[in-house]
Amino acid sequence: MFNIGVIHLTAKVTSVLTHLINELSFGQAVTLVVETDNPYDNEAVAIYYKDKKLGYVPKEKNSFLSTLLYYGYGDILEARIQYVNVENHPERQFRVVVKIKDNRK
């Protein structure tokens, strides 16, 4: 797989995240969702686990992912939890890695 890079979530622990913390572990799949109607950033990319929003890809790293997702190429991406530690600073409690899938046979 081609590694796009490590993407740090900007998620703060909330009651929702505290409830999910035991479910999040290394390698756990997460979903990337583009939010073109986001009032703060029209290239915003939210990161979800199941139906719960964990946070966002930082603005300085979201343009390429946002473009791929907007044009329907999200199926070539694989996003997974790389690190979880709720004792860290709120903006460094989760780390997600995004890769391009290798679908060659």
Side-chain angles (χ1 to χ4, degrees), residues 2-72:
F2 174 73
N3 189 345
I4 293 175
V6 175
I7 298 171
H8 296 276
L9 286 125
T10 55
K12 295 185 178 173
V13 173
T14 64
S15 59
V16 170
L17 294 180
T18 302
H19 174 71
L20 290 175
I21 196 67
N22 293 327
E23 293 183 44
L24 298 176
S25 61
F26 178 80
Q28 183 68 49
V30 292
T31 305
L32 303 175
V33 177
V34 67
E35 291 185 353
T36 56
D37 60 347
N38 185 297
Y40 303 104
D41 180 5
N42 64 349
E43 292 187 319
V45 177
I47 301 173
Y48 282 82
Y49 172 69
K50 296 185 179 180
D51 62 343
K52 305 293 185 203
K53 187 185 300 183
L54 298 176
Y56 289 90
V57 173
K59 187 173 184 167
E60 64 275 4
K61 296 181 180 182
N62 71 4
S63 185
F64 179 65
L65 294 175
S66 177
T67 300
L68 287 175
L69 294 166
Y70 179 81
Y71 286 105

Side-chain angles (χ1 to χ4, degrees), residues 79-93:
R80 296 192 175 273
I81 297 287
Q82 188 180 50
Y83 176 80
V84 179
N85 186 344
V86 294
E87 294 180 16
N88 282 353
H89 184 275
E91 293 184 358
R92 296 287 182 238
Q93 292 172 341

Side-chain angles (χ1 to χ4, degrees), residues 89-101:
H89 184 275
E91 293 184 358
R92 296 287 182 238
Q93 292 172 341
F94 299 94
R95 191 163 48 221
V96 171
V97 65
V98 179
K99 298 179 180 185
I100 300 220
K101 294 179 188 175

